[in-house]
């Protein structure tokens, strides 16, 4: 094994657009340091540099949105990660819709969007960890089957670092909390005690 400098090594990272209102106008930034961090209530944690314009809105409103773009939006997504609302107006890039949470502008062009209520902000170093409760999720009609998101209908944008590169999702591998039961059986047990979380 070769020793490497420490860095963000868990890949791929999901690419999202984080949205917040600033002075009554929506602003969106690209983010990769985003993870689901609690099951119930559903929470998300985002490592964001507090100097970004979007963070001004997050702190002021105690709310923000997370929008999941598909690969076809890669150019405008990359632009949102290059241009700052400190210098450029990004309010007209997307068709914006709103839910119940003030200060959480969402993007019609994205397959999935969530309204997030800020519950904490912890400075870590360069970035601050913004932790939020997911108040509501909105999905495009055509991506929902039987009230569940059909992931085969969404092509999320993935990111690797330090190349840095965008990728699309590969193929289906198997059913979670299920495929391991065969392994369990091979070890001489029947996997009957296996549970989902
Ligand atoms: C692929 C990509 C991923 C990024 N991920 C993050 C991230 O996770 N956290 C962060 O603070 N900035 C991240 N950025 C940088 C911000 O998106 C960028 O600085 C943006 O211009 C900030 O916009 P704002 O000042 O309008 O908020 C990323 C940029 C790109 C291109």
């Amino acid at each position: 094994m070769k020793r490497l400098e420490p860095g963000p090594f868990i890949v791929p990272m999901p690419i999202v657009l984080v949205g917040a209102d600033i002075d009554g106008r929506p602003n969106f930034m690209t983010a990769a340091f985003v993870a689901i961090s609690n099951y119930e209530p559903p929470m998300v944690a985002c490592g964001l540099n507090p100097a970004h314009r979007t963070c001004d809105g997050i702190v002021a409103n105690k709310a923000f949105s997370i929008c999941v773009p598909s690969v076809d939006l890669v150019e405008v997504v990359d632009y949102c990660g290059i241009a700052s609302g400190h210098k450029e107006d990004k309010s007209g890039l997307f068709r914006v819709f709103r839910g119940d949470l003030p200060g959480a502008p969402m993007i019609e062009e994205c397959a999935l969007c969530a309204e997030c209520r800020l519950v904490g902000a912890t400075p870590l170093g360069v970035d601050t960890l913004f932790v939020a409760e997911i108040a509501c999720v909105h999905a495009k009609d055509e991506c929902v089957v039987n009230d569940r998101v059909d992931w085969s209908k969404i092509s999320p944008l993935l990111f690797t670092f330090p190349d840095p590169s965008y990728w699309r999702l590969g193929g289906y591998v198997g059913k979670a909390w299920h495929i391991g039961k065969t392994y369990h059986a091979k070890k001489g047990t029947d996997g009957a005690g296996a549970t989902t979380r």
Side-chain angles (χ1 to χ4, degrees), residues 27 30-33 47-49 52-54 80-81 83-85 90 166:
N27 190 70
T30 304
F33 292 2
L48 307 179
N49 186 324
H52 294 331
R53 188 67 174 133
T54 309
C80 287
S84 171
K90 295 188 267 184
Y166 295 110

Side-chain angles (χ1 to χ4, degrees), residues 113-130:
C113 297
E115 302 172 60
C116 301
R117 191 180 295 113
L118 185 68
V119 296
T122 305
L124 300 178
V126 168
D127 294 331
T128 291
L129 189 69
F130 291 92

Side-chain angles (χ1 to χ4, degrees), residues 40-97:
E40 187 58 46
M43 308 261 250
V44 67
C46 312
L48 307 179
N49 186 324
H52 294 331
R53 188 67 174 133
T54 309
C55 297
D56 296 341
I58 295 174
V59 170
N61 304 319
K62 300 215 173 338
F64 60 95
S65 69
I66 291 185
C67 304
V68 179
S70 295
V71 292
D72 54 311
L73 292 175
V74 64
E75 282 186 17
V76 67
V77 166
D78 197 54
Y79 170 77
C80 287
I82 295 169
S84 171
H86 283 299
K87 291 194 175 154
E88 294 188 41
D89 180 3
K90 295 188 267 184
S91 66
L93 295 177
F94 305 103
R95 294 193 306 272
V96 169
F97 73 99

